[in-house]
Amino acid sequence: MVYNDDVKRAADAVQSRLGDIPANCVGLVSGTGLGGLAAALADRKEMAASDIPGFPRSTAPSHAGTLALGHIAGRPTLLLSGRLHLYEGHSPRDVAFGVRLLAGLGVRVLALTNAAGALDPHFAAGGLMRVTDHINLTGRNPLVGPNDDGAGPRFPDMSQAYSHRLGEVADAKALELGLRLERGVYAGVLGPCLETPAETRMLRLLGADAVGMSTVTEVIAARHLGLEVLVISCLTNVNLPDCMAETTLEDVLATAKKAETNLAKLISSIIPEC
């Protein structure tokens, strides 16, 4: 398929710039306000996403648009800073391109981070949540269209989209570090508007514990490719429908920045066990 040719061309360009990718390399994607995770990479080699053939350009604030190769606690890691979102006008295929590129470079374990609004009133802004499941409310799916049988099945099973093994590792490492790690369901919405009080109530009734505008498309593509997936959300605000407070991008970024230290500690402890 032409799309696979695009991914191969992009992978070849990355390898020519960053060198051979180790076989046990872990993929890591950073979310809004969480680009500082790159500081955890030792021996870092980096390239701009704009130098990768076919890689769509991210226009989201705080997304650096880089791909870096390095080590976290000795484990080879590819870090993609600059994910794409449906609300930018990108197609689901474009949004999934980064994940498919990482898989094309040999990644078999993928950790994603994101900024999300908490829906569970017991959660706190600045806290972390391990995603245990998701609800796709975007109305989009990266697998629509002809299927590449060589990449994955036409109807991939999503009953265990989020790795139980990696989840147990994350829980154990959070306990060791003394960090509170919530667990919950992530609702993926199209955006870019934030939720109304009525929408917040609906999401909670549907069983969601947090809401965001990314991740779900990437997870679907990753599972289609057979990747093992872990997702950690940074809870940047708490949506309380009976007393909704106005939320701005600046508030989200500030809270994500404060939580980034704990997130980096957690991710750095998880990666070697992947």
Side-chain angles (χ1 to χ4, degrees), residues 5-269:
D5 292 341
D6 291 342
V7 171
K8 185 179 186 306
R9 190 177 304 112
D12 289 344
V14 170
Q15 290 179 307
S16 68
R17 179 73 67 87
L18 301 183
D20 291 335
I21 309 300
N24 63 337
C25 199
V26 173
L28 177 59
V29 179
S30 65
T32 299
L34 303 172
L37 284 172
L41 277 180
D43 309 315
R44 182 166 76 246
K45 294 186 289 184
E46 188 174 88
M47 68 184 297
S50 58
D51 291 335
I52 302 174
F55 201 106
R57 182 177 177 181
S58 172
T59 63
S62 84
H63 288 256
T66 60
L67 179 64
L69 173 64
H71 293 82
I72 293 180
R75 183 71 179 269
T77 303
L78 275 167
L79 170 61
L80 179 60
S81 301
R83 64 153 43 106
L84 306 167
H85 303 79
L86 294 169
Y87 67 73
E88 297 175 75
H90 293 297
S91 68
R93 162 182 160 148
D94 284 348
V95 172
F97 191 88
V99 167
R100 287 171 169 152
L101 171 59
L102 292 174
L105 290 167
V107 164
R108 304 310 301 165
V109 174
L110 181 67
L112 303 105
T113 68
N114 62 46
L119 299 171
D120 188 323
H122 299 100
F123 291 176
L128 303 175
M129 184 188 87
R130 173 169 68 84
V131 176
T132 58
D133 204 346
H134 73 236
I135 305 171
N136 183 8
L137 297 175
T138 68
R140 313 286 179 83
N141 191 304
L143 306 184
V144 170
N147 186 59
D148 179 5
D149 295 332
R154 169 76 280 189
F155 302 105
D157 180 76
M158 296 293 288
S159 64
Q160 299 184 49
Y162 298 85
S163 168
H164 294 301
R165 180 185 74 85
L166 295 179
E168 290 176 355
V169 170
D171 291 346
K173 293 301 180 182
L175 188 61
E176 288 178 14
L177 293 168
L179 298 176
R180 184 178 180 87
L181 182 62
E182 311 290 359
R183 286 175 285 183
V185 175
Y186 176 92
V189 297
L190 182 61
C193 299
L194 301 181
E195 299 71 38
T196 69
E199 288 167 342
T200 298
R201 291 190 185 94
M202 175 196 72
L203 292 170
R204 192 75 182 119
L205 287 170
L206 288 175
D209 300 290
V211 58
M213 304 170 193
S214 68
T215 305
V216 168
T217 301
E218 295 158 302
V219 170
I220 292 171
R223 290 303 300 143
H224 179 247
L225 291 161
L227 274 58
E228 198 173 4
V229 175
L230 172 73
V231 175
I232 304 292
S233 295
C234 173
L235 304 172
T236 56
N237 60 290
V238 182
N239 291 357
L240 302 174
D242 294 322
C243 52
M244 290 282 278
E246 183 175 341
T247 302
T248 66
L249 175 63
E250 290 73 23
D251 294 335
V252 168
L253 294 178
T255 304
K257 190 66 177 177
K258 290 179 181 177
E260 194 172 43
T261 298
N262 285 340
L263 178 63
K265 287 180 181 178
L266 181 59
I267 292 294
S268 296
S269 68

